[in-house]
Amino acid sequence: QVQLVESGGGVVQAGGSLRLSCAASGRTFSLHAMGWFRQAPGNERDFVAAITYNGGNTDYADSVKGRFTISRDNAKNTVYLQMNSLKPEDTAVYYCASPPRPFFWGRLSSTYYYWGQGTQVTVSS
């Protein structure tokens, strides 16, 4: 059974940084892309960043490009989201996700099948 467990959320002042982690288990991590999404109250779940199975390609939402960095450590079955220069509008629950099949990846939430429980990020002004 595939499990994704996020950690690293919290409260930070605007301009600060946080690093989110997502530990995966239950299948061969190194064959699957990973993505990060976020959902603020009253909003839909939005794409944040994605990384291919081997880390060779990454993609970012325009709103976070240049501030956030997605990375992965296949030896640790973990994907990270380094968030710098945080803004109040980054406040949301952040979810990691993984597609059902090897080598799939993309920006659409429908591409992803497995989801973590989410971790809250709150940025105060």
Side-chain angles (χ1 to χ4, degrees), residues 8-29:
V11 180
V12 63
Q13 288 190 330
S17 299
L18 282 174
R19 188 176 83 154
L20 305 183
S21 300
C22 173
S25 62
R27 64 177 182 178
T28 306
F29 179 76

Side-chain angles (χ1 to χ4, degrees), residues 38-79:
R38 66 186 182 186
Q39 188 168 19
N43 290 1
E44 295 184 350
R45 192 169 296 187
D46 294 328
F47 170 76
V48 176
I51 188 167
T52 52
Y53 69 103
N54 61 355
N57 286 288
T58 57
D59 189 22
Y60 297 92
D62 288 345
S63 59
V64 306
K65 198 172 294 183
R67 299 188 297 123
F68 291 11
T69 303
I70 188 171
S71 62
R72 65 189 296 156
D73 185 339
N74 284 349
K76 296 183 177 180
N77 291 352
T78 301
V79 63

